[in-house]
Amino acid sequence: MKRVILVVALCGIAVACGENPAAPSAVTFPRNSGATSAWSPYLGLHAFNWEANIQQPHLVKLLDAGMVRGLRVDVNGPHIPSVVAWAQGHGVQDVLGIFGNEHLRSPNVVDHFDAVVAANPAITHWEIGNEVELFIQMDVAEYMPVFMALYEHAKVKHPELVLIPHAPVGGGSSVDIIDGMMDQGILKLANDPDINRRLQVVSIHIYSFESAFIYKVKRQLQRLPATTEVWITETGLNAADWSAHPEFVATWYPRLRDLLRASRIYWYVFSECTNFSMVKGLSPTCPEPIAYSPLFTELTGSSSP
């Protein structure tokens, strides 16, 4: 789901005071500990080769340490129910499922949604699409009617579910996309006088830490009522030097909570072929020796596979 990021300082953290920040300057990660205390126990997972039991022996170390209460998973195959069952059996409280972009343009999108929900009854939180402007070139005007139709349908047929609008790419012009989504339905749902119909969660991706970008995201989120939770469903650091991961969490997780009132922050990602990964060497598409990032080691106390 991710590629590159720009990391820059945050107005000397002056965005917290709500003033338009000056030109951004280069960020530094203080060499301090504290990632464990700053950590948010939520994690993105690509459930590749699940049946081969490749990821589980490493992922369980995070679960056994009490460092994961929620997972975010692409719902992209018949193996997902076994992923959810395994996770919940090891203490995960909820799984956030991603309803795939490939369904969103189908004239039968509602039927697809019902089928995916029926196949995954243990998933009660659904993010409808993922960065659709990037991956399928779907703009706000095309996306929001689809989301609104699914939301209205779910309130009737699946009232127990929590539907969450997709988060655009976490930088640059994505603020304009957030603005458009707000105006084309999000604010209406968030302010619904019927508490049973009210939008509960808005998702955000954060990969640019330019002060002006963070400020603009903050201003958009201030339009929401306090009853709407903000979940950062993707953030992380694709740094060649893995040692920056703990400093990133220790420095930026508290700031994201304070500035964007995030109640959940999902680290992207447990394992893939980039340095976003906590654990490398698990994916069959990029075979290499298995290695743990310093963040994984700090959270689990385990330094070697």
Side-chain angles (χ1 to χ4, degrees):
M1 293 179 247
K2 272 298 126 329
R3 304 125 300 266
V4 294
I5 60 171
L6 172 66
V7 181
V8 195
L10 192 59
C11 118
I13 320 312
V15 180
C17 63
E19 300 189 5
N20 201 346
S25 56
V27 71
T28 58
F29 291 112
R31 292 287 171 181
N32 59 356
S33 59
T36 299
S37 60
W39 176 249
S40 178
Y42 300 96
L43 180 65
L45 174 71
H46 297 313
F48 52 78
N49 279 15
W50 193 257
E51 297 85 351
N53 198 41
I54 291 174
Q55 298 196 69
Q56 294 93 314
H58 310 282
L59 181 57
V60 76
K61 294 182 181 182
L62 282 167
L63 275 59
D64 286 348
M67 291 300 167
V68 177
R69 290 205 300 267
L71 290 172
R72 178 177 182 258
V73 179
D74 306 283
V75 178
N76 56 6
H79 62 294
I80 296 301
S82 63
V83 175
V84 176
W86 180 90
Q88 293 181 334
H90 286 84
V92 168
Q93 295 175 4
D94 64 68
V95 173
L96 172 59
I98 304 172
F99 181 65
N101 293 345
E102 67 273 16
H103 303 304
L104 297 180
R105 286 196 170 104
S106 170
N108 301 313
V109 62
V110 170
D111 294 334
H112 286 303
F113 181 72
D114 286 344
V116 171
V117 168
N120 298 276
I123 299 179
T124 57
H125 294 69
W126 289 94
E127 203 168 357
I128 306 302
N130 178 65
E131 297 183 354
V132 301
E133 80 289 354
L134 173 68
F135 291 119
I136 59 171
Q137 292 75 56
M138 178 181 265
D139 63 17
V140 174
E142 186 180 6
Y143 173 80
M144 283 306 298
V146 176
F147 176 78
M148 296 294 282
L150 286 173
Y151 190 88
E152 294 298 331
H153 170 75
K155 285 300 175 186
V156 174
K157 187 167 182 179
H158 310 287
E160 75 283 0
L161 300 183
V162 176
L163 266 64
I164 304 171
H166 93 103
V169 177
S173 62
S174 66
V175 174
D176 297 329
I177 298 171
I178 297 170
D179 179 46
M181 291 172 66
M182 291 278 194
D183 291 340
Q184 294 186 40
I186 299 303
L187 287 178
K188 178 182 177 181
L189 295 178
N191 287 284
D192 195 309
D194 183 348
I195 192 172
N196 295 315
R197 293 181 47 79
R198 193 176 298 161
L199 185 70
Q200 297 180 45
V201 180
V202 165
S203 63
I204 299 292
H205 292 177
I206 299 292
Y207 287 99
S208 171
F209 294 83
E210 181 183 9
S211 54
F213 172 75
I214 295 287
Y215 172 77
K216 289 176 182 177
V217 173
K218 179 176 189 268
R219 294 290 293 176
Q220 288 298 326
L221 296 177
Q222 286 175 330
R223 301 172 67 189
L224 293 166
T227 53
T228 309
E229 289 189 50
V230 175
W231 292 3
I232 297 176
T233 54
E234 288 189 20
T235 195
L237 190 63
N238 189 19
D241 180 4
W242 254 4
S243 68
H245 280 188
E247 287 82 8
F248 175 89
V249 170
T251 302
W252 282 100
Y253 271 40
R255 295 178 186 178
L256 294 174
R257 289 188 184 97
D258 291 343
L259 298 175
L260 306 182
R261 62 182 178 91
S263 57
R264 293 190 182 193
I265 304 173
Y266 288 76
W267 177 268
Y268 183 86
V269 58
F270 176 64
S271 186
E272 63 173 22
C273 297
T274 72
N275 282 339
F276 283 113
S277 302
M278 281 188 169
V279 178
K280 294 181 72 174
L282 302 181
S283 172
T285 62
C286 48
E288 59 183 310
I290 297 174
Y292 291 169
S293 75
L295 176 59
F296 183 91
T297 296
E298 181 165 336
L299 295 176
T300 65
S302 178
S303 59
S304 62

